[in-house]
Amino acid sequence: MSNTTVKQKRTALKVAKSSKTLNVSSGVFRVNQSITKTINPSISGKSFSSASDSKVLDKSLAQTPKHTVQVFDEHGQDVTPHPLYNPDPGVLQPKQGKIFPAHDTSWTTVTDFPSVAFQTTNASFTGPFTKSFFGSVSASRTSQTTESVTDETKDLLVKPDLSSSLSDVQARREEVKEQVREDIIDRVVDSYLTETETIWLLDIPAVSVSEDSEDAEAVKERNKYVERSMQTFNDAPKTKEVQSDSITMVDKAVMSSTWDMYDSFCNKGDASENIVVSAEGKKATVPDSSSMNHLLNPSGPDQSMSVFSTTSTVSGSSAHLEKMTCVLPVEEEPDLELILQSDKFKQDLAVMERVVLANIFQPKLAAYRQLPVIEDPDCVQTQIEEESWTEQSKNSLSPFLEHLWVFKCELTKGRNVSSMTWNKKNPDLLAVGYGQLDFKDQKPGLVCCWSLKNPTWPDRIFHCESGVTALDFSACNANQLAVGMYDGTIAIYNVQTTEQTPIIDSSDCANMHACPVWQLRWVDHDTGLAGEDKGEMLISVSGDGRISKWIHYKGLECVDLMKLKSPNMIVNNQRWNPKILSLAPGLCFDFHPNDSKVYLAGTEEGHIHKCSYSYNEQFLETYKAHTGPVYKVTWSPFCPDIFLSCSSDWTIYLWRQDLSKPVLGFTSGQKVVFDIMWSPHCATVFGAVREGKVEIWDLRVSSLDPTIVSVTNPGVNPTALLFTPETDCVLVGDSEGQVTVYKLKNLPAGDSTQVEALEDVIRTTLSSKHTLGKTDRDA
Amino acid sequence: MAEVEETIKRIQSQKGVQGIIIVNAEGIPIKSTLDNSSTVQYAGNVHQLLLKARGMVRDIDPQNDLTFLRVRSKKNEIMIAPDKDYFLIVIQNPTE
């Protein structure tokens, strides 16, 4: 143990207070804290001992060569132990300045070394005790010595370097020792030690924070997820056995489609049986099981229960089917009956019938509806058909009636068609009344409602007690059909049902007609009438000379609108005193299309009376021209002043309201005219039905001859005529119970309704009459 | 009941109608105007076709349902009116 410890002044501490170096040193401090802890006591002891011997070290560079410890043995050999550690002298030299051997006690000058940055270790420390003497020496005896204990350790990092450099420097020093010792020994050399910049050698940032530091809380918070491990005690395992029945596993798969899921969802509220059945899920069996369930249910609860139980087993579906099949033979009979009697089946049958017929009648219906006729590509046209087709096409220029189809069936055979009318709401529905028009061979009448979609069988059939003579559909309630009969009864039927009984019958009314009701009309009095007269009313004309209005109020009640009194008759130049007021039988009437107060009535005497609704005493005007009963009188739908009348005196007259004489008369042949009707499309066209002929007149073409004449089969008389409101077809009813549908072909078409044309015709006729002085046209 | 019978007769008597078959829900024909072998053939095949057609219609929109099916072929037309409990088949050759 060397006793020549030289302590260095502790000013190094002060200088080292710069932040950079402090870090280093403090780092050093910490690192070596543990190491030095054990050393400290020894160092302190030593330091204190050496403190007594403290000497000031002069740190001049040029200072004395070190006074190395040299050990000589008894033979004078230098057995100085070599240092264990030989640092690189070139690196450390500028930092440290000279390293002074401990022996240089000759330098006792105590100078301030503010620039002392480092402390050096004693050369003597380079002995075998190097390690233990890492403490630095303090020159002064001040209280700094106490600090030396703690501060010694700070320089531990430097120490090894110092000690390592010691030996090298020593070697050099020894060389120059002899030379310079003499001249430099008295020289005071100032050595300045400056701080170099910090050289980072190693930086391991700390990853732990002391609990007392201010960052502790923040760090704790950041460390939310802490990995912790625990060790559990694993007890010794023990085997335990249990025996049970084998659990059978069955795979079940269901293929569920969109509608299957929808059905199951909708059926959730139903009975549980249905749910179980429908939840089976097998598509093929779903309709079966549900239907069988439906059919089995009435047969008894036990059967349905068995269905339930079979379906609840997992493998039940196949058993379910088996059960079904074995049940089937028993159930087959009621099955058929049930189906056949169900309403749905009837409906389906009706639809099917129409579909089949549509296939058959497709070209005709297309022609009717003015649609292009598409030929069936698979159809093989026979020779005959082609011939007839070409024939017709040859005559394509002249107008003609194309026969489309015939409404006829078994029921209507042999009956006389007395009236036809279209339904106001459904343009495909046609009501036809069958009844004899003359008083002999009267038979029970028939009303058939035909649909265009089924020309072979009527949709509704109503049997009536006596022959039907008049028909009309109501416009307000489109399902009500008023039927006038030969015995004077008026009945109103509801065509929505197939019931045979009418809604109401006039047979209870005291005022009912005593003679056949020749015409019925639902008239809509919505223009300018007060109170109860608004709305639709049923008006009839009958053979007892009365025009009555019928009200539906607890039964049909009638009010007379007009009594068709026959005017004074001049017989043999004597005035026939009409003390006995006779009423002329009325055969027809027609309300004005625009003014519903005014109407025309035709009588059996050949007079046409213009009457007013509100005035039932007298006629407004009388038109006399016909010599026979007037069968029909119709206002023109386009010209408000023009009307047509036809009678059994073979004539048709065209009248103008203000003229008491007819403007035009039409006749062709000496045949009774049964029915006439204006065309709803063209103002100059009207149709007429004569005995044996159907005529279509077009006044633009000619007013002398009908434009189209269609001769019917001999023995068959057309008795009724009806134009179709929408298409250019005409229906003709005949005395054989057939209603034929014709299409008007090649009639000159016009853009407008040709009202002007009609008026022109009339004007020219009138003017020609005047100019030529003709008073009347012969019938 | 008589009305139904009459309607069936009327359909049968229309021009070109080759046969009418009424089949119950399982595909077993219960009434037919054709011979047995054709009936069974038609019934079986139409049943399958109906399932497919109905499945298709309902897959697209489950609230929809098949109401009528027509199959037009070279030689004839097969019209099928399906229902929950039965279906009705009519075979017609309209150009006959």
Side-chain angles (χ1 to χ4, degrees):
Chain A
M1 168 117 135
S2 142
N3 48 4
T4 53
T5 54
V6 180
K7 294 245 162 86
Q8 198 85 36
K9 218 172 163 180
R10 217 26 70 95
T11 48
L13 260 178
K14 287 188 195 146
V15 182
K17 282 251 171 32
S18 69
S19 56
K20 272 201 269 178
T21 47
L22 188 62
N23 282 341
V24 174
S25 48
S26 57
V28 169
F29 180 70
R30 282 193 211 98
V31 165
N32 296 315
Q33 190 84 6
S34 50
I35 305 165
T36 57
K37 275 210 168 78
T38 49
I39 302 171
N40 263 343
S42 55
I43 291 178
S44 60
K46 289 193 175 46
S47 65
F48 276 121
S49 61
S50 57
S52 53
D53 304 328
S54 66
K55 297 267 177 24
V56 174
L57 261 178
D58 203 350
K59 281 233 173 94
S60 64
L61 280 165
Q63 279 223 300
T64 50
K66 48 202 178 300
H67 201 69
T68 54
V69 177
Q70 285 181 324
V71 180
F72 295 100
D73 65 1
E74 56 270 19
H75 300 292
Q77 287 171 355
D78 188 352
V79 292
T80 315
H82 293 289
L84 291 170
Y85 175 60
N86 299 314
D88 182 12
V91 175
L92 295 169
Q93 187 108 348
K95 276 197 225 169
Q96 293 159 15
K98 282 286 191 205
I99 299 164
F100 305 107
H103 293 303
D104 291 333
T105 54
S106 58
W107 308 316
T108 57
T109 51
V110 182
T111 50
D112 274 273
F113 306 124
S115 58
V116 169
F118 295 97
Q119 293 160 7
T120 58
T121 49
N122 206 313
S124 60
F125 290 166
T126 60
F129 312 109
T130 307
K131 258 202 181 157
S132 56
F133 286 103
F134 281 110
S136 55
V137 254
S138 146
S140 68
R141 279 174 167 275
T142 58
S143 59
Q144 282 181 337
T145 51
T146 50
E147 296 173 53
S148 73
V149 178
T150 52
D151 292 332
E152 266 167 17
T153 55
K154 278 198 188 168
D155 307 311
L156 275 170
L157 180 61
V158 191
K159 298 302 167 274
D161 303 326
L162 289 171
S163 58
S164 58
S165 62
L166 264 173
S167 55
D168 295 331
V169 179
Q170 261 178 9
R172 258 184 269 134
R173 282 224 190 96
E174 277 183 288
E175 287 163 18
V176 291
K177 204 164 83 174
E178 296 299 328
Q179 289 137 11
V180 299
R181 200 199 275 183
E182 299 303 325
D183 22 301
I184 328 170
I185 197 158
D186 289 323
R187 196 155 41 123
V188 177
V189 178
D190 292 322
S191 62
Y192 300 93
L193 293 172
T194 53
E195 187 187 321
T196 61
E197 60 183 62
T198 313
I199 298 171
W200 294 87
L201 292 172
L202 176 66
D203 182 13
I204 304 174
V207 294
S208 55
V209 175
S210 147
E211 281 208 346
D212 296 335
S213 81
E214 52 248 18
D215 288 337
E217 287 303 314
V219 171
K220 261 193 218 168
E221 229 175 86
R222 237 183 318 146
N223 296 344
K224 275 187 226 169
Y225 305 104
V226 177
E227 203 177 289
R228 292 173 69 154
S229 49
M230 274 177 68
Q231 189 158 38
T232 57
F233 296 108
N234 293 332
D235 298 330
K238 179 178 164 185
T239 356
K240 192 161 179 189
E241 284 164 15
V242 166
Q243 203 165 39
S244 70
D245 293 335
S246 76
I247 301 165
T248 49
M249 305 280 208
V250 177
D251 278 331
K252 189 166 176 184
V254 171
M255 172 76 172
S256 175
S257 58
T258 321
W259 54 267
D260 203 359
M261 291 190 278
Y262 177 84
D263 277 345
S264 315
F265 179 73
C266 286
N267 291 338
K268 243 173 33 170
D270 292 0
S272 58
E273 293 156 45
N274 288 343
I275 292 176
V276 172
V277 171
S278 61
E280 272 294 287
K282 306 235 159 45
K283 263 203 274 189
T285 61
V286 164
D288 308 335
S289 48
S290 60
S291 67
M292 284 319 285
N293 214 9
H294 157 78
L295 290 167
L296 279 174
N297 272 335
S299 57
D302 47 338
Q303 267 204 329
S304 55
M305 280 307 293
S306 60
V307 169
F308 184 84
S309 58
T310 50
T311 55
S312 60
T313 61
V314 174
S315 55
S317 56
S318 52
H320 173 68
L321 264 176
E322 280 165 32
K323 198 161 181 78
M324 289 304 129
T325 50
C326 68
V327 167
L328 257 179
V330 181
E331 301 288 348
E332 215 174 301
E333 280 307 317
D335 193 13
L336 173 62
E337 285 304 311
L338 272 170
I339 289 175
L340 290 180
Q341 282 170 19
S342 65
D343 281 336
K344 184 77 174 32
F345 185 71
K346 284 181 200 152
Q347 211 179 346
D348 277 343
L349 262 185
V351 170
M352 184 63 83
E353 193 183 355
R354 285 194 178 180
V355 167
V356 167
L357 285 165
N359 269 339
I360 298 168
F361 284 101
Q362 198 272 335
K364 308 293 184 190
L365 281 175
Y368 175 88
R369 295 196 199 274
Q370 295 167 315
L371 293 169
V373 179
I374 303 167
E375 271 201 27
D376 200 349
D378 300 319
C379 170
V380 177
Q381 263 206 338
T382 61
Q383 275 280 323
I384 308 160
E385 279 176 37
E386 277 184 34
E387 276 173 20
S388 67
W389 192 248
T390 50
E391 232 186 75
Q392 272 206 328
S393 56
K394 275 184 210 159
N395 305 334
S396 59
L397 292 173
S398 61
F400 67 99
L401 286 178
E402 187 191 342
H403 173 105
L404 289 180
W405 72 84
V406 180
F407 285 112
K408 66 170 177 188
C409 69
E410 284 290 315
L411 283 177
T412 64
K413 225 172 184 178
R415 291 177 190 270
N416 177 42
V417 173
S418 60
S419 58
M420 298 187 290
T421 179
W422 289 105
N423 187 304
K424 305 287 189 295
K425 199 162 172 204
N426 180 1
D428 286 347
L429 194 61
L430 173 74
V432 178
Y434 301 87
Q436 303 300 117
L437 290 178
D438 35 321
F439 68 95
K440 52 186 178 169
D441 32 81
Q442 276 292 318
K443 42 184 163 181
L446 183 68
V447 176
C448 286
C449 291
W450 295 87
S451 165
L452 278 179
K453 295 163 191 162
N454 187 350
T456 60
W457 191 258
D459 276 359
R460 297 278 184 268
I461 303 166
F462 301 107
H463 292 275
C464 304
E465 282 173 359
S466 63
V468 173
T469 51
L471 279 182
D472 198 29
F473 266 112
S474 161
C476 288
N477 310 317
N479 58 326
Q480 285 184 4
L481 177 66
V483 178
M485 285 177 252
Y486 197 84
D487 61 357
T489 323
I490 296 174
I492 301 178
Y493 283 90
N494 179 9
V495 298
Q496 278 175 341
T497 66
T498 54
E499 277 178 27
Q500 290 294 307
T501 52
I503 305 172
I504 194 105
D505 205 320
S506 80
S507 41
D508 294 333
C509 177
N511 249 352
M512 61 175 273
H513 290 297
C515 291
V517 176
W518 291 115
Q519 189 150 6
L520 277 179
R521 196 56 56 86
W522 289 93
V523 181
D524 205 358
H525 282 292
D526 55 78
T527 54
L529 287 172
E532 49 178 291
D533 288 343
K534 276 224 175 94
E536 227 188 13
M537 282 175 300
L538 181 62
I539 300 185
S540 67
V541 68
S542 100
D544 57 4
R546 286 184 311 161
I547 298 177
S548 326
K549 172 178 80 168
W550 294 84
I551 308 156
H552 186 134
Y553 179 71
K554 288 189 199 168
L556 276 178
E557 298 284 327
C558 87
V559 171
D560 277 347
L561 286 180
M562 179 59 71
K563 287 191 168 55
L564 298 167
K565 304 177 197 97
S566 58
N568 295 334
M569 279 168 56
I570 298 171
V571 172
N572 295 334
N573 286 339
Q574 272 182 354
R575 212 174 163 97
W576 183 271
N577 202 351
K579 288 236 164 65
I580 305 166
L581 257 175
S582 59
L583 293 171
L587 290 175
C588 56
F589 73 99
D590 194 20
F591 273 79
H592 195 277
N594 299 340
D595 181 10
S596 54
K597 274 205 223 166
V598 174
Y599 59 93
L600 293 166
T603 65
E604 209 174 8
E605 294 171 350
H607 303 303
I608 301 169
H609 304 288
K610 186 164 85 168
C611 323
S612 164
Y613 174 80
S614 43
Y615 186 53
N616 60 357
E617 287 297 317
Q618 267 196 338
F619 309 125
L620 294 175
E621 205 165 327
T622 306
Y623 305 93
K624 297 179 200 176
H626 282 293
T627 51
V630 178
Y631 283 133
K632 198 76 185 283
V633 63
T634 58
W635 288 99
S636 163
F638 299 105
C639 295
D641 293 333
I642 313 293
F643 63 90
L644 268 180
S645 64
C646 78
S647 112
S648 64
D649 62 354
W650 317 325
T651 59
I652 304 167
Y653 282 130
L654 178 86
W655 303 78
R656 211 171 76 175
Q657 210 185 170
D658 47 347
L659 298 171
S660 57
K661 294 288 169 203
V663 176
L664 279 170
F666 312 101
T667 179
S668 67
Q670 296 169 346
K671 302 280 187 206
V672 176
V673 184
F674 286 114
D675 202 355
I676 50 166
M677 188 170 171
W678 285 101
S679 158
H681 305 289
C682 186
T684 55
V685 175
F686 65 89
V689 164
R690 284 177 198 269
E691 209 172 328
K693 278 196 284 189
V694 176
E695 295 170 354
I696 307 290
W697 294 76
D698 188 352
L699 294 175
R700 288 169 297 180
V701 176
S702 153
S703 53
L704 292 174
D705 286 316
T707 315
I708 306 170
V709 178
S710 164
V711 181
T712 57
N713 295 331
V716 177
N717 288 335
T719 51
L721 182 76
L722 191 66
F723 275 90
T724 53
E726 282 168 17
T727 64
D728 55 351
C729 294
V730 67
L731 279 77
V732 175
D734 61 18
S735 53
E736 283 302 309
Q738 296 180 14
V739 176
T740 320
V741 181
Y742 294 100
K743 191 171 158 78
L744 299 167
K745 293 222 90 156
N746 299 322
L747 269 188
D751 292 333
S752 65
T753 52
Q754 307 292 319
V755 172
E756 302 85 27
L758 181 63
E759 281 171 3
D760 279 342
V761 168
I762 293 163
R763 224 178 308 120
T764 50
T765 323
L766 286 174
S767 57
S768 68
K769 263 204 235 167
H770 284 311
T771 53
L772 294 176
K774 285 188 188 165
T775 52
D776 199 351
R777 276 204 165 201
D778 284 319
Chain B
M1 190 58 199
E3 203 184 303
V4 165
E5 288 289 342
E6 254 185 58
T7 314
I8 293 175
K9 266 198 216 109
R10 272 208 314 274
I11 297 176
Q12 178 67 34
S13 63
Q14 294 295 346
K15 182 182 121 178
V17 172
Q18 287 167 355
I20 303 179
I21 306 169
I22 302 172
V23 185
N24 73 352
E26 279 122 33
I28 298 165
I30 51 181
K31 194 173 171 72
S32 168
T33 61
L34 291 173
D35 58 281
N36 202 28
S37 57
S38 318
T39 303
V40 166
Q41 257 191 320
Y42 269 111
N45 286 317
V46 165
H47 185 51
Q48 288 180 32
L49 181 64
L50 262 188
L51 286 176
K52 272 291 177 191
R54 184 183 265 136
M56 179 207 79
V57 168
R58 297 204 72 209
D59 259 347
I60 292 168
D61 178 7
Q63 288 176 334
N64 205 356
D65 200 3
L66 188 67
T67 53
F68 206 86
L69 185 65
R70 282 168 93 149
V71 181
R72 183 78 176 91
S73 71
K74 263 201 236 173
K75 291 190 184 169
N76 51 24
E77 182 166 356
I78 304 164
M79 290 158 281
I80 306 149
D83 186 71
K84 196 164 59 77
D85 300 327
Y86 62 88
F87 50 95
L88 171 68
I89 309 170
V90 172
I91 304 125
Q92 182 192 22
N93 185 0
T95 61
E96 199 182 279

